[in-house]
Amino acid sequence: MCGIAGMVVSAGQQPPSESLGRRMIEVIRHRGPDDDGLHRDERAMLGMRRLSIIDVAGGHQPLYAADGQVCLVFNGEIYNFRDLRLELEREGHTFRTQGDGEVILHCYLRHGADAFARLDGMFAIAIWDRRTDELLLARDRFGEKPLYYTNNPRRLLFGSELKSLLQSTDCPRDVAPDALRAFLTYGYVPSPGSIFAGVSKLPPGHWLRCRDGRIDIHRYWRPSLEKKTSLSEDEATEELAGLLDSAVSSRLVSDVPFGAFLSGGLDSSTVVALMARHLSQPVKTFTIGFKEEAFSELDDARQVARHLGTEHHELVVEPDAVSLLHELAWHFDEPFADSSAVPTFLVSQLARRHVKMVLTGDGGDELFGGYDRYLRLLTLDQLGLLGRPAAAALRVAGALLPDPLGGRLGRIGERLQLPREERYLSGVALMRADTARALHPDAGGARHYHLPCLDEADADLGAGRSSLDRAVAIDLQSYLPDDILVKLDRMAMANSLEGRSPFLHPQLAQFALSLPESFRLRHGRGKFLLRRVAERWLPQRPLSKPKQGFAIPLAQWFRGPLREMAHDTFTSRAFRERGLCDPRAACALLVEHTSGRADRREALWQVICLELWAQRFLDATPQGA
C-alpha cells in the first residue's frame, strides 16, 4: 500500500526533474510514511511512498526487470499474487522478493497489458517500458485505488492524488464547469473528469498507454448484470456462503497487525464474523459514536463484538468540526461533500493506533441491493405505470398541501416525469435543481442529473432492462468509485491506514450481480440472500436493524458550531469574488436552516466543502497538510 506519482516526457523534451519528483511524492507522505523510492531517466520519472503491509523488509519500489528495461511502481494489494507467482515460476520466472509488486512486474513481462485482468486486488499501477518507450497506467476493477493524470504533447503527469500533479506548473488549474455542476448535484466529482479541466481520473477497470504524448485508453473489465444464475435459492445460498468466506480469507494476507471497522450493520458484521472463523486470536474491531444517541451505533457494534468475541475498541467523539473540515478538504483534493467522511476519518484515526490495515463492508449495498433508494425506485416505477396524469396530480397535491407532506408529494410528481435513469439519480442527488440554480446560474438545468457513464456507447450499461440492475450499474460506475471508495481511500490513507473491501472480490461481486431481483429484494427489504447466509454467524440485531448509514449530527452542527463559520464564509469578500456560489443564495440557505423553516444541511455542507477546497487548492499550490 502506498502512493505513486510520476511523469513521462516526449522525445526531445527536457528530462524529468528530480526535485519535481521529490515534491510529488513528499506531498503524499501520509499515504506511505515507511519508505520512498524514485526512478528517473531521460524520459521518465516514477516515484512512490510506501506503507509496508506485505514483505515489509523486501518490498521496496521501484521494481525493475532483470535487464533494467522495465520499471514499475504501484499502490494497492494483489490478493492472488501467490497463485500467480507459482504459475509464473512454472514458466521459468525467477523472483528476488516475497512481495506482490514483483508478481505484477513478471506478469506484465509474460502477458503484456493482458496482465491487468489477471489481478485480483485493489491497485493503481504505473509501468515504464523502455523497450517500447511506453508508459502504462492501470486501475483496479471497482476503483478502490485512485489514479489521476494530465497530458499534453510534451509530457504526461500522473499520481494517486491530485495534489501530486499540482506540484508541476504543467498541471491545469481552471475549474471545469461540468465538474462544478456535478458537485452541486451529487457532492462529488464523477469520473472520468476531475474538478480541473484537463485533469482526468483513469476510470476503474481501464488501462492507459502513453507514447510520445499520445494516449489510448482500454477497458479490460466491466460489471455484467444481464446474465442471471439458474441456481435455486438453497443452492445460491451455499454458493454465496463459500464465496464470502473465500473473499474474506483472501484479504487477510498481511505481515502487520490488522482489524476491521464494525458498525453493527449487516455488511461489516458479516466480514468480522468470517474473519473470526479464520483467525486464532480475537479480531480487533473499531467503531466510533457521537454524544447524540440518534447518530451512534455503539450499542449495535457492542452486541456483535460480544457475540463474536472480538477485541473491541470504541470511542465517543465530540470533534472540532471547523478544524476537521479544513483537514478533510486537504485530503480529498477535490470538492467532496459526503458527510460520512467525518466518522470514516475518526474511526480510521482510532484504528491506526492499534493496526495498519482494516477490512470493511464497503460494496455490500451496491452488490446486494441494500440502499433504500432501490426500493423507492421500484415504487416509483409502479406509480409511473399510471402515466402523466398521476404525476400531474401529485404535483398539484404537493402545491396545495402544507409541508412536509406537500413537499414530498410534489417531489414524487417531479421524479415521475423524469427519464428512467434520471428518475433514479434524483434520489441519489444531494441537492435539488432549484437550489443548485439559485447557487450558480449554470447549475440546475436540464442536465442536472447527468452522469458521464450515461454517455457511453453501451446505452444499457450492461444491465438489460431491469430498473434495479440499471440503477446498480450506474452506482458501480459512479457512486461507488467516486464517492464510497474515495471516502474510504482518502480517510484511511490520511491516517496511514490500509482499508480492504472483501465484497469487491471479483468472483463474489460477479455472483452477486448475477442474482435475480427476488434474491436481493424481498419483503420490502434489500440483501435478502446475504441476510439468509449471515444468519448462521450473526445475532438477530444486525440481521433485522434498519439501515442507518454512517451519519453525523449535521443539522445540529449548522445551528451550533458551524453556524458562525458558515455565516463568516458566505459574507466574506473572498467567497463573493471567487464566484463559485452566489453569496445571497448561500446566506438564504443558512437563514432557512437556522430558523428551522427548512432542513438545508446537505446543501450547506456542499457549499462549505466547496469553499474550503477552493481556499486550499485555488488560492495556492498545495505544499503539505
Side-chain angles (χ1 to χ4, degrees), residues 79-97:
Y79 305 118
N80 65 336
F81 80 96
R82 289 187 173 125
D83 292 337
L84 292 173
R85 176 176 175 139
L86 288 174
E87 177 184 309
L88 290 162
E89 285 177 331
R90 285 195 292 267
E91 295 177 354
H93 290 258
T94 302
F95 291 82
R96 302 185 299 273
T97 74

Side-chain angles (χ1 to χ4, degrees), residues 289-331:
F290 295 93
K291 63 178 182 178
E292 296 88 351
E293 287 195 12
F295 299 92
S296 179
E297 294 183 285
L298 290 176
D299 286 342
D300 296 326
R302 285 174 195 150
Q303 288 186 35
V304 175
R306 282 195 297 267
H307 181 82
L308 298 174
T310 75
E311 179 190 313
H312 191 53
H313 302 267
E314 63 180 39
L315 184 66
V316 176
V317 294
E318 295 184 52
D320 180 345
V322 175
S323 63
L324 190 55
L325 263 171
H326 284 279
E327 188 165 4
L328 266 55
W330 161 255
H331 283 292

Side-chain angles (χ1 to χ4, degrees), residues 82-125:
R82 289 187 173 125
D83 292 337
L84 292 173
R85 176 176 175 139
L86 288 174
E87 177 184 309
L88 290 162
E89 285 177 331
R90 285 195 292 267
E91 295 177 354
H93 290 258
T94 302
F95 291 82
R96 302 185 299 273
T97 74
Q98 300 302 311
D100 49 354
E102 193 180 4
V103 171
I104 302 173
L105 178 62
H106 282 272
C107 203
Y108 169 73
L109 294 173
R110 172 66 177 84
H111 300 286
D114 290 340
F116 305 130
R118 303 172 70 87
L119 305 177
D120 167 19
M122 53 180 182
F123 55 82
I125 299 169

Side-chain angles (χ1 to χ4, degrees), residues 501-519:
S501 305
F503 283 108
L504 300 182
H505 182 286
Q507 285 72 45
L508 170 59
Q510 190 54 66
F511 179 73
L513 297 177
S514 78
L515 294 175
E517 187 172 299
S518 63
F519 284 14

Side-chain angles (χ1 to χ4, degrees), residues 517-533:
E517 187 172 299
S518 63
F519 284 14
R520 288 177 282 169
L521 306 183
R522 193 178 298 187
H523 308 311
R525 303 186 69 185
K527 302 181 180 176
F528 168 75
L529 199 69
L530 180 60
R531 292 179 199 279
R532 182 173 173 185
V533 171

Side-chain angles (χ1 to χ4, degrees), residues 601-612:
R601 66 183 125 176
E602 296 288 4
L604 289 169
W605 187 258
Q606 283 172 267
V607 177
I608 284 288
C609 290
L610 177 62
E611 175 60 16
L612 294 183

Side-chain angles (χ1 to χ4, degrees), residues 28-283:
I28 55 171
R29 171 182 283 269
H30 53 277
R31 298 189 71 91
D34 297 334
D35 188 18
D36 65 30
L38 189 71
H39 164 86
R40 188 173 70 92
D41 60 36
E42 69 281 359
R43 294 285 307 281
M45 182 264 293
L46 280 69
M48 57 80 66
R49 292 290 322 187
R50 184 177 182 222
L51 179 68
S52 304
I53 302 292
I54 293 176
D55 192 14
V56 173
H60 178 78
Q61 297 180 36
L63 291 161
Y64 297 90
D67 61 3
Q69 295 299 297
V70 180
C71 174
L72 173 146
V73 292
F74 97 104
N75 168 28
E77 303 290 354
I78 307 303
Y79 305 118
N80 65 336
F81 80 96
R82 289 187 173 125
D83 292 337
L84 292 173
R85 176 176 175 139
L86 288 174
E87 177 184 309
L88 290 162
E89 285 177 331
R90 285 195 292 267
E91 295 177 354
H93 290 258
T94 302
F95 291 82
R96 302 185 299 273
T97 74
Q98 300 302 311
D100 49 354
E102 193 180 4
V103 171
I104 302 173
L105 178 62
H106 282 272
C107 203
Y108 169 73
L109 294 173
R110 172 66 177 84
H111 300 286
D114 290 340
F116 305 130
R118 303 172 70 87
L119 305 177
D120 167 19
M122 53 180 182
F123 55 82
I125 299 169
I127 298 173
W128 170 237
D129 193 333
R130 299 185 69 174
R131 302 170 303 181
T132 55
D133 287 337
E134 292 178 344
L135 175 76
L136 283 83
L137 303 177
R139 195 171 175 209
D140 64 68
R141 291 168 176 80
F142 290 99
E144 293 181 74
K145 293 291 104 182
L147 191 54
Y148 291 85
Y149 71 94
T150 182
N151 72 293
N152 60 42
R154 295 184 297 109
R155 63 173 62 178
L156 179 145
L157 298 160
F158 68 88
S160 294
E161 297 188 12
L162 184 53
K163 58 178 68 71
S164 286
L165 279 62
L166 290 169
Q167 302 307 304
S168 169
T169 56
D170 273 355
C171 184
R173 287 167 169 79
D174 293 330
V175 173
D178 286 345
L180 179 58
R181 286 194 293 269
F183 173 77
L184 290 175
T185 305
Y186 298 107
Y188 64 84
V189 177
S191 296
S194 82
I195 191 60
F196 292 127
V199 179
S200 301
K201 307 181 189 89
L202 184 63
H206 286 70
W207 63 273
L208 173 154
R209 178 192 287 114
C210 176
R211 185 171 187 178
D212 272 337
R214 298 184 302 275
I215 68 169
D216 53 275
I217 298 176
H218 306 265
R219 187 166 199 160
Y220 69 86
W221 182 86
R222 76 173 305 149
S224 174
L225 294 95
E226 286 189 271
K227 186 177 181 180
K228 298 303 179 184
T229 182
S230 60
L231 297 176
S232 68
E233 186 176 305
D234 288 342
E235 291 170 333
T237 299
E238 293 308 312
E239 179 73 9
L240 177 56
L243 287 169
L244 283 166
D245 189 66
S246 177
V248 171
S249 174
S250 69
R251 277 141 181 82
L252 295 178
V253 177
S254 173
D255 294 330
V256 297
F258 58 87
F261 291 161
L262 178 62
S263 69
L266 178 62
D267 297 340
S268 66
S269 298
T270 300
V271 168
V272 173
L274 288 166
M275 291 175 72
R277 287 164 53 89
H278 287 279
L279 299 176
S280 57
Q281 69 274 18
V283 181

